[in-house]
Amino acid sequence: MKVIKYPSKEKWAEILRRPALNTESLFDTVRGIIDRVRTEGDKAVIEYEATFDKAELTSLAVTNEELEEGVALVSEELKAAISLAKQNIERFHAAQKFVGKKVETMPGVTCWQKAVGIEKVGLYIPGGTAPLFSTVLMLAVPAKIAGCKDIILCTPPDSKGKIHPAILFAARLAGVDRIFKAGGVQAIAAMAYGTESIPKVYKIFGPGNQYVTAAKQLVSLRDVAIDMPAGPSEVEVLADDSANPVFVAADLLSQAEHGVDSQAILITTSERLQAAVVEEVERQLAELPRREIAEKSLANSKLILVNDMDEAVELTNEYAPEHLIVETSDYMEVAERVVNAGSVFLGSFSPESAGDYASGTNHTLPTNGYAKAYSGVSLDSFIRKITFQEICSDGMKAIGPAIETMAANEQLDAHKNAVTVRLRNINHKS
């Protein structure tokens, strides 16, 4: 990890630069896979599964027998943990339900909104180096609460054509309707355009590697919505001298083991803490099974010492981290000043791992500085708000002349006439 002390503002942009993720360079390769899936359907997906996942498949859908067989392999301890997490995620997201209110903007003119679930959603769950069954809960639970009618899930099988049992259990528990054995670009293409087996959806959710990211970007240009732009995962710990270096090091390493392109950053006002964290990271790193991944990730990571908490907060808001852990003596006060972050963890006993799994908040969050403009996945991600308006004759008489004037001044005479004919009708009847 790079140790940086009292950087000037001129150097902030360089210091806060993320690991490069140039998905544009992959577009030609990815576009070829997408086009083939679009034209050849299941045949192309099955062939790509053989190529990329070394799985020889005859069909893509997970059968009920396979589902039951997989669920039976999950330990009771893990089932209980997943069930607890599901309850908390459900409770938090259910509290986000939109309640529309009719508003009379002027006498006789009433407007309101109605929240409607996106009818068909596709969830992508990576296989890779870790089976992300927790992401199944983060996506399927709010989709179910939102009232999405068709929730499908794509995830890559292993070389034997099997889906990880915990993914199957989480999917069934959370209410996924259908599960398919498809990973990578071919899964994104299948959900975007539909195949004989995999239905076309209206919006695609879920993380993935740079090829999946590139595929989501391409299909979203004109054919399907996606949850948000995505890049490598990241965490920032914002700490003062009261922070526990053992906790801080553990939080940085929990992020570092995600992948070689992950980034972990400490911003602190304490030189003592900065030095202690360097030692503690080395000690804990030696004990990690995923040490090689974490070591490569730490090359992207920084321990930054600043002058005071004002500077620390300003630097934090400039970085706009996906995950932010605030471990300071006055963390509630500091939290009020945070304006750019995906998800914030407050105090010594709120590790990022809690939000990743079971506290109830969603772990699908904006990375790469997108927290300045994007929110993480929430119930709103799975719904649309439709506006309604009702205008009675008295309302038209009250609002009509203003509409006529505005339309005339925009030189849109047909717009004006749509009001004029109604006003004539009202006046004729009276």
Side-chain angles (χ1 to χ4, degrees), residues 272-292:
R272 180 200 66 81
L273 179 72
Q274 186 187 45
V277 169
V278 171
E279 292 182 10
E280 192 59 34
V281 164
E282 289 301 319
R283 188 189 70 77
Q284 293 185 31
L285 179 63
E287 301 172 0
L288 288 179
R290 291 167 67 90
R291 181 169 61 253
E292 288 185 15

Side-chain angles (χ1 to χ4, degrees), residues 62-100:
V62 172
T63 65
N64 285 332
E65 291 75 20
E66 287 176 308
L67 183 60
E68 294 302 328
E69 176 189 319
V71 167
L73 295 174
V74 182
S75 71
E76 292 305 315
E77 181 184 32
L78 181 53
K79 284 179 179 176
I82 291 173
S83 298
L84 180 146
K86 187 247 184 183
Q87 288 172 7
N88 287 347
I89 295 163
E90 197 169 47
R91 189 172 292 123
F92 181 70
H93 288 76
Q96 299 168 19
K97 283 184 178 177
F98 173 77
V99 179

Side-chain angles (χ1 to χ4, degrees), residues 407-418:
N409 278 273
E410 287 193 347
Q411 300 177 43
L412 295 173
D413 292 337
H415 279 64
K416 176 186 176 185
N417 192 54

Side-chain angles (χ1 to χ4, degrees), residues 238-244 269 309 326-335 346-348:
L238 174 57
D240 62 13
D241 198 57
S242 70
N244 185 327
T269 55
M309 192 53 62
V326 182
E327 195 174 340
T328 63
S329 57
D330 57 347
Y331 58 80
M332 279 299 186
E333 182 184 323
V334 172
L346 301 174
S348 297

Side-chain angles (χ1 to χ4, degrees), residues 196-219:
E196 299 89 333
S197 299
I198 301 173
K200 172 180 168 52
V201 300
Y202 300 152
K203 190 172 183 179
I204 296 172
F205 295 80
N209 63 21
Q210 56 187 347
Y211 289 92
V212 168
T213 298
K216 286 173 67 179
Q217 288 174 334
L218 283 172
V219 299

Side-chain angles (χ1 to χ4, degrees), residues 171-185:
R172 188 177 75 170
L173 184 69
V176 170
D177 296 302
R178 287 175 283 176
I179 306 168
F180 298 95
K181 302 172 186 178
V185 175

Side-chain angles (χ1 to χ4, degrees), residues 130-152:
L132 298 183
F133 55 83
S134 57
T135 303
V136 178
L137 301 178
M138 296 293 173
L139 300 177
V141 168
K144 200 72 180 173
I145 295 168
C148 300
K149 291 180 179 176
D150 199 1
I151 305 169
I152 71 160

